[in-house]
Amino acid sequence: MILRMIGALVDLSGRRPWHVIAAAVVAMAGLWGYASKLELRTELRELLPSDSPAFMAYERQVKRVDGGAQLIVIAESPDRGANERFIDALAEQLGEPLRRQEACLKACADEACRKACGPPSLIRYMETGTKEVRRFFDENKWLYASVRELEAADEAIELELALRGGLIEDLEEGGGGEQAGGADGAAAPAGEPAKKGLSLDQTWNELERRLKKIDEFPSGYFATPDGRMVALRIVSRSAGMGDRSAAQLLDDVTALAGRLGPASFHPEMQVGYAGDIPNAIAEQRSLVSEAVWATVIALVLILGGVVIYYRSAWALVVIALPTALGASAGYAFATATYGYVNTVGAFLGAIIVGNGVNYPIVLLSRYRDFRARGMAAGEARREAVLNAFRAELVGACVAAIAYGSLTITQFRGFSQFGTIGFVGMLMVWIAIVPLVPATLVAIERIQARLPAWLRDPPPRVSGEGAAGPGARWLARVTFRWRVAILAVAPLTLAFAAWKLPAYVKDPWEYNFARLGSKSSQNRGAGSWSRKASEVFGGKMNVAGAMMLADYPEQVPAIKAQILANDAKDPEGQLVADVATIADVMPGTPEEQRRKIEILERIRDRLTPRVLKSLKPEEREKVLQMKPPESLRVIAPEDLPDLIRRRFEENNGVVGTVFYVKYKNNVSFSNGRNLLRMADTTGNIVLPDGTHVVTASRPTVFAEMIRSMERDGPLATAASFLAVTVVVVLATASLTGAFSVLSSLLLGVIGTAVAMAMLDVKINFLNFIALPITFGIGCEYPFNVFDRARLLGGDVALAVKRSAGPVALCSYTTVLGYGSLIFADNQALNSFGWVAMSGEVACVASALLFLPALLHVMNRRGWLGGAWKSGILFRGSNHS
C-alpha cells in the first residue's frame, strides 16, 4: 500500500511539476527568511548542558553582576598627552548619554517615568584611570598602616620628644646607627636608642610602598609606564558571549572613536579594542564568515562534481533543490527551537549539503540508468523511486541515527548539532519523492524548447549497465584480487592492536590553544588583548577568575578553604592568592578604630610648639606626614568606585565577589589545569558544612571536558547499536548484516588508526565525526549490498552499476566536511579532517573490501538466503 501511495505521488508530481516546484521555492524562501533571525553564540559554555551545575552557577553569577563583560579601548601613539586627550574625549562622549539617563532616573518617582527614560544603557560604567583612587588613598593612607607599625611610630615620636626635651638622656654615645628622624624626620638629630621601633619617616615610606601596590598607575590613567598606550575600560551589561547587545556596543564605540578622528590627536595614533566583547565578536564574525564561505565552497565543488559526473548542468537543479530545502528546514527548526546555534551548529549548512545530496544523487542515477536502457520517462521516474526506496530509506534511517544519537547526550555541543542535522537530513529525504520527479519533468519540458546544444546529452551506460570505466575496473579488481583485498582487514586490525590501546588511554585534547582561532592570536582582538595585558598586567589587585559567595561573611572561610584545597593538590599548587574586599580595606572596623586612637595620639604629640622647634625643611615634611583630623572608619561602601565595583553585585551588595589569582606559570590553555582548578575552587564545602556553589570560566571549561568524556562514548555506542539494528532488519539475514557491518567497522577502525598514528586528539567537535561516520558511512556498503540483492547476487554487476553513484555521494560528503579544513577555528579544522578521513575510509571499504568479501562468501554459498531476504520495502523488481 505504501509503495502504491509513493508511486501515485510520483505520478502526481509528474503531472503538476510547476506546482510542486513553486510550493518548494515558496517554502524555502519562507524558511530562510525565518532562519535569518538565528543568532550565533560562540562561547564554549554554550556547548554545556543547560542543567549542568557549573553552567547554572555561572549563569546565576552573570546575572548577579549584571553581565560584566569588558570592552577595553586602547589609544596607541608615541605621545602620552595625545593618548590621554583622546581617551578623555571618548569617555566624555560615551558618558554623556549615561549621565542624562541617570539624571532622568533620579528625577522619577514611579515606574512609568522610569520607562520613559529609555532602555538601560549597554554600558554599566566606565573607567579612565585611577585619579579617584589616588585621591582616596592620599586622604586615608594612615589607616593602611598596621596597628603594630603605628604603635611603633608613636613610641618613636614619644622617645624623640623626650630626648629633645631633656627628659631622658641618649645613652648611645655618638648614636650607634641611623638617627630616629634623620634630616627629614620628625625629631632632632639624635641616635635611635636600641631601634625600639619604626620612625614616623619609615612608617611613611612603608605606606607609600604598600599603596603603590593598590594604585600602580602614577599618571592617573590606565597606561604603560612610557605612556605609549593609554586605555579606557568599559564594563557592559553583556555576558560577553557574542550576543547582539555586545555587538551593538562594540559598533557604537568604534563609530564614535572614528568620528573623533584619532589622527587629529596624533598622526600615528592607532585605536584598538580588547577584552571579552571584542574577542567574542571577532570569533563570532569569523565563524559566520567561515560558515558562509564553507557552505558556498562546498556547494560550488559539490555541484561542479555533479555537472562533471552527469555531463549535465541541468542536474544541478535536480540535486540542489531538495538539498537547499532540507538545509533551510534545519536552520528554521533551530530558530524556532533554540533561537541560536552554538559553534558546532554554525557549519551544519555545509554538512547538510554534503550529506543531503546523497539522496537525490542515488535517485537521479537510478532514473538515468533506466532511461539509458530504454525505459519510458514516466515509468523510469516511478521505477527509480521504487527501486531506490529501500536503499534510500535505510540511508535516511542510518543518517537519522547518526545525528539522532547525538541528541541523547546532555552535551549541547552534541545534542543541538544532532537535532538540527536530523531535521535537515529528514527533510531532504522527504523532499526528494515529489521534487526530483517534478524537477525532471520540468527540465525535460524546458529542454524540448531549447536548441540542441543547450539540451542534456542522452544518458549512456554500457550494455551491462556499468556507469563508466572506473566502475568496470573496480568490479574486475574486486573479483580477481578478492583474497588480497581481504588481507587488508587483518593488517588494519594489526595496526589497531599495535597503536590504538595506548591512544585510547588518553585520546582527549587538553590543549585549548589548539581549539580556538589561529588568526585572532596574531591580529585583531587577539593582538590588542596582548597590548591590554601590557597596560594592565594583572594590576589593581583583582586579576584572576571572578567568583561569588552567597554572603560577604562567607568569603574569608571560602578563601581559606580554596587555599587548603590547593595545598592538597598532588600535582602542586596553582593558586597564588585569593583577592577579596578585605585586601583593599584598612582592616576591620575594630582595627580601624584602634588605628584612629593611635593616630590621634601622634597628632596630639605634634603640637604647634613642637613643630615650631623644627628646622623649616623638617617642619614641612612632618606637616605632610601629620595624620589629618578627618580620618574615620571606612566601610566597603566608602571605597572609590574603581575599587568597590570590582567586589559589588548589581543589587549593591559589596564583598561577595572575590577573585582567584593563579600563578604566572599556570596555563589556562591546559585542560588538565582547568580540571584541577575546578577541583580546587568549585563547589566549596565550608567547615560548618555549608555548601557554596562557585563558578568561573575555568570551572565551566572543566565541566565541558567532563561532559565530553562522558557523552562522547555514549553517542558513539548508541549510534553503532542503532545502525546494527537497522542493518539487521534491512537485510533480514545475519550473513548479509555481517558483510555490511564488517565493511563499516573496517572503515571506522581505519579512521581510528589514522588518528592514532597522526596523534590527532579528540576534542569537543571532532568526536562528533565518529557517531556520524557510523550512520553516513553505513549508506555506502548497504547501497552496494542492496544493488547486489536486486541483481540476484551478481556482485560484479552491482559494483558496475552502483560504484559511480556511491563514489559521487562520498565525494559530495567529503566536500561538505572538507570545507571545514579551511576554517580558521582549529577545532572545526580537526573535525573536518577526522570526518573526511572517515568518509574516505568507509567508501574505500564499501567499494573494495565489501565486494571482495561478498565474492568469497558467494563462492562458499553463505549468501544464498541473504539475496532473497529483506523485511523492509522490497521496492521495484527493476535493477
Side-chain angles (χ1 to χ4, degrees):
M1 181 183 65
I2 293 177
L3 291 178
R4 285 197 300 272
M5 291 173 59
I6 293 170
L9 179 60
V10 172
D11 292 340
L12 177 64
S13 300
R15 291 193 300 271
R16 298 284 187 271
W18 295 113
H19 293 80
V20 173
I21 294 172
V25 170
V26 169
M28 188 164 53
L31 291 170
W32 279 121
Y34 181 70
S36 65
K37 299 182 292 185
L38 192 65
E39 183 180 347
L40 174 63
R41 298 182 184 176
T42 59
E43 194 168 356
L44 289 180
R45 70 190 179 99
E46 290 297 332
L47 305 178
L48 284 172
S50 56
D51 58 351
S52 157
F55 177 83
M56 291 190 294
Y58 191 81
E59 287 289 289
R60 287 195 299 269
Q61 176 172 300
V62 167
K63 291 178 182 177
R64 287 172 65 185
V65 295
D66 196 13
Q70 296 186 35
L71 168 58
I72 297 171
V73 185
I74 301 174
E76 181 180 17
S77 81
D79 186 341
R80 176 194 291 271
N83 295 337
E84 292 175 353
R85 289 192 299 274
F86 176 83
I87 291 298
D88 285 339
L90 182 61
E92 177 66 24
Q93 293 284 331
L94 288 171
E96 182 59 31
L98 272 176
R99 290 189 290 271
R100 286 200 304 268
Q101 188 173 61
E102 287 174 0
C104 177
L105 293 172
K106 286 180 181 178
C108 287
D110 55 51
E111 188 62 29
C113 175
R114 296 177 68 86
K115 288 183 178 179
C117 293
S121 171
L122 299 176
I123 299 175
R124 279 185 62 200
Y125 58 86
M126 292 185 299
E127 297 170 345
T128 59
T130 59
K131 299 183 185 70
E132 182 188 1
V133 174
R134 180 170 294 279
R135 183 167 54 252
F136 172 84
F137 285 125
D138 280 343
E139 295 170 353
N140 297 281
K141 54 182 169 287
W142 282 107
L143 291 177
Y144 284 85
S146 67
V147 171
R148 184 193 63 79
E149 290 169 337
L150 293 176
E151 287 177 338
D154 183 40
E155 292 173 4
I157 293 170
E158 183 182 20
L159 178 60
E160 283 295 330
L161 294 177
L163 287 170
R164 281 175 174 274
L167 297 178
I168 61 172
E169 294 184 5
D170 184 2
L171 299 180
E172 291 192 3
E173 302 170 357
E178 184 178 316
Q179 296 169 338
D184 299 323
E192 181 182 346
K195 294 192 177 181
K196 293 191 176 187
L198 292 171
S199 70
L200 193 64
D201 200 30
Q202 290 171 307
T203 303
W204 174 276
N205 293 335
E206 175 62 21
L207 274 177
E208 289 289 318
R209 184 192 66 79
R210 190 175 300 156
L211 294 179
K212 282 181 180 178
K213 295 178 66 177
I214 300 175
D215 176 18
E216 298 182 286
F217 296 98
S219 68
Y221 288 88
F222 298 138
T224 53
D226 59 3
R228 181 175 53 87
M229 290 186 288
V230 180
L232 165 67
R233 180 174 178 263
I234 300 171
V235 178
S236 75
R237 299 186 188 278
S238 166
M241 61 182 182
D243 54 272
R244 292 181 180 178
S245 64
Q248 183 63 53
L249 175 59
L250 179 61
D251 290 342
D252 290 348
V253 174
T254 303
L256 179 56
R259 289 196 297 272
L260 286 173
S264 65
F265 291 83
H266 191 280
E268 298 179 25
M269 182 177 289
Q270 291 184 321
V271 177
Y273 307 90
D276 308 319
I277 290 176
N279 285 324
I281 297 300
E283 192 81 16
Q284 181 197 71
R285 288 174 177 170
S286 173
L287 278 174
V288 170
S289 174
E290 288 175 6
V292 171
W293 278 108
T295 305
V296 170
I297 291 171
L299 190 61
V300 169
L301 293 176
I302 288 168
L303 298 181
V306 168
V307 171
I308 294 172
Y309 179 81
Y310 290 115
R311 297 179 297 118
S312 165
W314 294 99
L316 296 179
V317 182
V318 181
I319 300 296
L321 196 56
T323 307
L325 181 60
S328 64
Y331 279 119
F333 175 83
T335 305
T337 307
Y338 307 109
Y340 71 96
V341 289
N342 52 42
T343 305
V344 185
F347 283 79
L348 258 174
I351 295 172
I352 291 175
V353 168
N355 290 342
V357 295
N358 291 2
Y359 306 136
I361 282 174
V362 171
L363 195 53
L364 178 60
S365 296
R366 296 284 172 98
Y367 171 75
R368 290 172 62 89
D369 188 9
F370 291 154
R371 288 286 285 151
R373 286 188 275 154
M375 191 176 290
E379 185 182 4
R381 288 193 300 272
R382 187 185 316 105
E383 292 301 322
V385 171
L386 298 178
N387 179 269
F389 190 78
R390 190 167 91 137
E392 298 275 45
L393 177 61
V394 171
C397 287
V398 293
I401 287 168
Y403 289 101
S405 65
L406 302 174
T407 66
I408 67 172
T409 67
Q410 296 177 328
F411 189 57
R412 279 188 293 174
F414 292 168
S415 61
Q416 191 185 90
F417 180 96
T419 303
I420 300 170
F422 171 81
V423 171
M425 296 293 286
L426 182 64
M427 282 303 300
V428 175
W429 179 71
I430 291 173
I432 61 171
V433 174
L435 268 180
V436 170
T439 310
L440 288 171
V441 172
I443 289 172
E444 288 168 357
R445 290 181 180 177
I446 291 172
Q447 287 186 352
R449 297 185 176 92
L450 295 176
W453 61 276
L454 287 177
R455 301 175 191 170
D456 277 345
R460 297 194 308 251
V461 293
S462 64
E464 55 190 357
R472 289 192 294 272
W473 177 84
L474 276 173
R476 186 168 60 253
V477 166
T478 52
F479 176 74
R480 183 176 299 175
W481 301 98
R482 54 189 179 276
V483 176
I485 292 172
L486 288 183
V488 172
L491 289 175
T492 304
L493 294 175
F495 270 111
W498 168 55
K499 199 72 179 176
L500 282 182
Y503 178 79
V504 169
K505 286 182 181 178
D506 187 23
W508 308 104
E509 178 61 81
Y510 292 104
N511 186 356
F512 275 52
R514 295 174 60 180
L515 302 181
S517 169
K518 291 177 288 188
S519 63
S520 66
Q521 300 172 12
N522 303 312
R523 64 176 186 266
S527 64
W528 283 104
S529 291
R530 287 196 298 275
K531 292 183 179 183
S533 297
E534 291 184 49
V535 175
F536 292 98
K539 297 176 182 177
M540 297 186 292
N541 203 36
V542 292
M546 184 180 71
M547 298 185 181
L548 275 79
D550 296 331
Y551 310 102
E553 295 76 19
Q554 292 177 330
V555 172
I558 293 174
K559 176 177 179 177
Q561 189 61 52
I562 287 175
L563 294 176
N565 292 345
D566 186 54
K568 297 176 185 177
D569 189 335
E571 298 183 48
Q573 294 183 343
L574 294 170
V575 179
D577 191 16
V578 179
T580 70
I581 190 72
D583 297 326
V584 292
M585 292 291 294
T588 64
E590 293 76 15
E591 290 173 336
Q592 292 185 62
R593 282 190 283 270
R594 174 62 180 147
K595 292 177 185 181
I596 290 173
E597 291 175 5
I598 300 170
L599 290 167
E600 287 175 350
R601 287 204 306 268
I602 292 175
R603 187 172 57 248
D604 291 343
R605 296 188 196 283
L606 299 176
T607 63
R609 185 177 64 82
V610 171
L611 294 173
K612 186 177 180 181
S613 70
L614 300 176
K615 296 177 181 180
E617 62 272 15
E618 293 176 331
R619 187 183 307 115
E620 183 180 353
K621 185 65 177 288
V622 170
L623 285 172
Q624 291 177 1
M625 295 186 292
K626 184 179 179 180
E629 296 181 10
S630 60
L631 290 175
R632 59 184 177 82
V633 174
I634 296 173
E637 293 76 14
D638 299 322
L639 291 169
D641 289 345
L642 180 67
I643 298 298
R644 187 197 68 251
R645 285 187 297 220
R646 285 162 169 72
F647 299 95
E648 183 178 29
E649 296 185 47
N650 58 9
N651 61 2
V653 175
V654 181
T656 52
V657 181
F658 62 94
Y659 299 83
V660 179
K661 302 169 69 175
Y662 296 97
K663 294 182 177 180
N664 291 335
N665 62 345
V666 173
S667 170
F668 284 78
S669 297
N670 188 327
R672 292 186 176 88
N673 284 346
L674 299 179
L675 291 170
R676 292 167 60 197
M677 292 174 187
D679 291 338
T680 298
T681 65
N683 302 325
I684 300 298
V685 179
L686 301 181
D688 63 359
T690 303
H691 188 86
V692 183
V693 180
T694 57
S696 64
R697 286 179 181 267
T699 61
V700 169
F701 292 163
E703 181 69 17
M704 188 185 70
I705 294 172
R706 293 192 180 106
S707 182
M708 178 183 67
E709 292 175 345
R710 178 187 65 248
D711 288 345
L714 174 64
T716 304
S719 177
F720 176 66
L721 289 175
V723 164
T724 300
V725 170
V726 171
V727 170
V728 169
L729 288 176
T731 58
S733 162
L734 291 179
T735 51
F738 169 79
S739 63
V740 173
L741 293 174
S742 296
S743 175
L744 173 63
L745 283 174
L746 183 64
V748 173
I749 292 173
T751 305
V753 169
M755 292 175 65
M757 294 185 69
L758 297 174
D759 196 30
V760 177
K761 295 294 187 179
I762 298 174
N763 59 52
F764 63 92
L765 273 184
N766 65 23
F767 204 114
I768 298 175
L770 297 179
I772 287 181
T773 297
F774 277 117
I776 305 300
C778 185
E779 291 184 39
Y780 310 133
F782 185 83
N783 262 289
V784 174
F785 174 85
D786 193 58
R787 200 65 182 269
R789 181 192 65 83
L790 290 171
L791 291 164
D794 191 336
V795 177
L797 186 56
V799 171
K800 292 174 183 178
R801 294 186 178 179
S802 63
V806 166
L808 182 60
C809 288
S810 180
Y811 164 81
T812 60
T813 305
V814 165
L815 287 178
Y817 292 134
S819 63
L820 304 183
I821 69 175
F822 301 104
D824 182 56
N825 184 283
Q826 297 174 87
L828 287 168
N829 192 279
S830 69
F831 175 30
W833 280 112
V834 173
M836 193 166 61
S837 62
E839 273 294 309
V840 172
C842 286
V843 76
S845 179
L847 295 180
L848 291 169
F849 173 80
L850 178 62
L853 178 63
L854 293 177
H855 280 304
V856 170
M857 295 176 73
N858 252 351
R859 288 176 68 89
R860 296 182 176 272
W862 294 343
L863 288 171
W867 303 134
K868 302 176 183 178
S869 303
I871 63 172
L872 293 180
F873 302 104
R874 293 292 298 262
S876 166
N877 290 324
H878 294 282
S879 58

